[in-house]
Amino acid sequence: MKESQDIESATVQLSPILDTVPLPGQPDNKTRRYDRQLRLWAASGQAALESCHILVLGASPTATSILKNLVLPGIGAFTILDDGLVEGKDLGANFFFETESLGKNRAEEAVKFLGELNDSVGAHAETRSLDKILNEDPAYFHKFSMVIAPNVPHKTLHRISKLLWDPEASGIAASLSKPPPLVIVRTSGFLADFAIQFKDHPIITTHSEVQPSLRIDKPFPSLLAHAFSLNFDKMDPTDHGHVPFVVILVRMLQEWKNDHAGNPPKTYAEKQEFKQRIAKMKKKDDEENFDEAVAQAYKAWTVTNVPSEIEALFQEPEIKKLSPNSDSFFHLVHALQVYTSQPPYTLPLSATLPDMKSDTKSYIHLQTLYKNQATEDRNRFADILRGIETGNAGGGALQLQKTVALDMVDEFVKNAHGLRLLRGKGWTGVCENNEAIVDTLGLSPRGVVTHLAISALFAFEEKHGRFPTAADETDIAEMETWAKTRLTSAGWSGDVDSNEDISMKGEEEDDAPQEPTVSEHLHNAVGEVARAPVSELPTTAALMGGMVAQEVIKVITKQYIPIDGVCAMDLVAGITSTIKL
């Protein structure tokens, strides 16, 4: 009888041999462990995770929840900075402490249990106080890939923010590496918000939902030759019903241009006539590939050019002052600028084809044509890049002496249509950003007042050296006044009387519940933060742990687009909204 297996053996180990030396064609142990997430951010994203080292300030429930969701995917290492001791109140909210942890250092205890989640992740504890490091060793923070600051006091948070935003102003040597991004996380009872501070964040793999151009109006030679090699009139009816719509449009567009002095359909009447020509090619009424060609006909007269978002990247100041120390992203963008200045004045072709009505043979042949041309475009792009690196091929006389890895070139060319460069701002919240408050207040009043209530809480703590008392109406009134002052300075003119036009409403509408006013939302939010100033509830910590870790992974892997602004959450109402900075 076969012996039973434990979960590790059944789900990870295929055999004792594969655990160390995988058989040909079989994935290694790490690939099997991280299989699902590799489908999201591929090997390049996983490599970025495994090379990062994250600093978390404090071993609070929110901090350990965030780390749990970063340790499991396999970050390289993490350090928890906390000089405090585990108290009784910690045991009721933090799952990474146990009874035996009482009286021991919080960072060391949390590291011990978090490290058990993934033995491939380096786990470290820093037991010095945060203030001591800020005063005596400010360069310490620059050793890390990212700094996460959950519920750090307002005054200390601004010191860290300034240090990481403008290190030279804080006496940090300019020769140090680029300062790491700072993630600000604040929770209070069932309310929370977070934001990411970074100066600039280039993204190559945005996973854009925008499909790259099929270049139907500017077909490459092999595609054009294939389209005209088909004899539609003598073609077998089965084959005729499986010609991909791309081939049909390329053929019909070129024939149209031959009849119209090289011009595509321009007017509404011409476009309708073009569609009718395609429809008349059908041999049978059920030929869906021709119906698809009619539906996609707009792609024939849509000009393939460089998207405006990519054109804007060419004007970035970093492109005009490239140096060996410049980020590889800007070297690649400069090479793309040179590439697109040459015929056919488009981005490199993508080998990715959408699904379409076709048979396997026709689709694979079309895919092969695109893959071959995409490889040729990629090689031409690589030649331009190498020429720029050596001071040739349109790159100017400057020899940059910087070599971009080939795998990064491949990824860049593949995703050239979705490149993004995010410009961040220093952490100031949105309390002083009037435009952001006005723009978001009408769309999500709960989001704005949630953020303002939490900001009022930390401003109160900075002013008085204590947190408000829930039963003290004076404390609550002071925080409400603080928040309303910011709203008023943002252009808020007060609540609109919901009963102003009550006479015009029907009896049925009179009985409907009224949406709370901004003042009512604010009063409820301030009441919640006064009730539980920095109480980190397990439910709030768990939600924040997942959401913050998700955004951290986006920044570390430089894939997907991270949150832009402040994300505010009201768990009572189940509402999440973003206030753009």
Side-chain angles (χ1 to χ4, degrees), residues 172-457:
I172 306 298
S175 59
L176 288 176
S177 59
K178 180 180 176 181
L182 172 66
V183 183
I184 299 95
V185 186
R186 307 186 301 180
T187 64
S188 179
F190 286 109
L191 305 182
D193 67 2
F194 72 92
I196 306 174
Q197 171 184 288
F198 55 80
K199 282 202 170 183
D200 56 69
H201 182 63
I203 313 174
I204 294 176
T205 311
T206 57
H207 298 272
S208 172
E209 295 182 359
V210 177
Q211 292 292 328
S213 172
L214 295 170
R215 211 184 288 179
I216 292 173
D217 64 320
K218 295 180 180 179
F220 45 94
S222 59
L223 177 60
L224 188 60
H226 173 60
F228 275 90
S229 69
L230 302 178
N231 190 331
F232 286 92
D233 295 332
K234 296 182 179 181
M235 191 178 290
D236 178 82
T238 301
D239 294 336
H240 191 270
H242 291 94
V243 178
F245 80 85
V246 173
V247 178
I248 297 172
L249 290 179
V250 169
R251 173 72 169 268
M252 294 302 297
L253 180 60
Q254 293 304 311
E255 291 183 356
W256 175 279
K257 287 182 176 181
N258 293 338
D259 297 338
H260 295 80
N263 296 315
K266 294 181 178 180
T267 66
Y268 176 78
E270 289 179 340
K271 293 174 182 178
Q272 292 301 112
E273 181 184 348
F274 181 78
K275 292 181 179 180
Q276 290 171 7
R277 285 192 182 189
I278 297 174
K280 289 179 180 179
M281 292 179 66
K282 296 173 68 173
K283 289 186 176 182
K284 297 186 297 182
D285 291 337
D286 61 349
E287 290 184 323
E288 295 180 343
N289 57 328
F290 284 92
D291 294 335
E292 190 173 37
V294 172
Q296 301 289 332
Y298 70 92
K299 294 181 178 178
W301 55 74
T302 300
V303 179
T304 300
N305 51 24
V306 181
S308 58
E309 296 85 357
I310 307 302
E311 288 275 11
L313 290 178
F314 299 157
Q315 307 306 316
E316 293 293 342
E318 290 87 348
I319 304 299
K320 303 180 186 302
K321 53 181 181 180
L322 283 175
S323 72
N325 295 325
S326 300
D327 191 290
S328 296
F329 176 82
F330 297 111
H331 289 269
L332 290 164
V333 170
H334 180 44
L336 186 63
Q337 182 181 20
V338 176
Y339 180 96
T340 57
S341 67
Q342 302 171 0
Y345 310 107
T346 64
L347 298 175
L349 185 70
S350 171
T352 303
L353 286 180
D355 293 336
M356 59 188 73
K357 305 293 182 181
S358 178
D359 58 11
T360 303
K361 179 181 177 182
S362 300
Y363 186 84
I364 290 178
H365 180 70
L366 181 64
Q367 191 174 56
T368 301
L369 294 177
Y370 271 82
K371 283 185 176 181
N372 291 340
Q373 184 61 40
T375 300
E376 184 178 324
D377 286 4
R378 180 261 181 210
N379 292 338
R380 185 161 70 90
F381 175 86
D383 289 341
I384 291 174
L385 178 64
R386 298 307 175 222
I388 292 174
E389 291 170 350
T390 56
N392 301 309
L398 174 66
Q399 183 173 349
L400 295 177
Q401 299 178 344
K402 183 183 181 78
T403 301
V404 180
L406 286 177
D407 56 350
M408 189 174 185
V409 173
D410 293 338
E411 197 72 15
F412 183 89
V413 171
K414 178 182 176 182
N415 297 282
H417 64 286
L419 305 174
R420 290 287 296 274
L421 176 61
L422 304 182
R423 299 290 191 184
K425 294 182 179 180
W427 167 250
T428 58
V430 294
C431 299
E432 299 174 3
N433 191 332
N434 295 344
E435 184 178 348
I437 292 179
V438 170
D439 290 344
T440 310
L441 186 59
L443 299 174
S444 179
R446 280 185 184 269
V448 171
V449 300
T450 294
H451 174 75
L452 286 175
I454 296 175
S455 297
L457 172 68

